[in-house]
Amino acid sequence: MRLLPLLLLLLSLTGCGLVALPFRVTGDVVSVVPVVGKPVGAPIHAVGDAID
């Protein structure tokens, strides 16, 4: 039963969304680091936006 939501999520991340996902996740994770997170995370997240 847990496999069905995961499968639906993977089907919605086809094409460019699947390629941009690692950049978006990395940008979000880096952005929570104090002091340097926002300036470093913004360009990484922007790459994900550019791919989409």
Side-chain angles (χ1 to χ4, degrees), residues 1-37:
M1 200 63 170
R2 292 182 188 180
L3 187 61
L4 184 61
L6 181 63
L7 182 62
L8 291 174
L9 177 67
L10 290 176
L11 286 175
S12 68
L13 293 174
T14 58
C16 295
L18 186 62
V19 175
L21 182 65
F23 292 102
R24 293 185 185 277
V25 171
T26 304
D28 290 339
V29 169
V30 171
S31 68
V32 297
V33 175
V35 181
V36 297

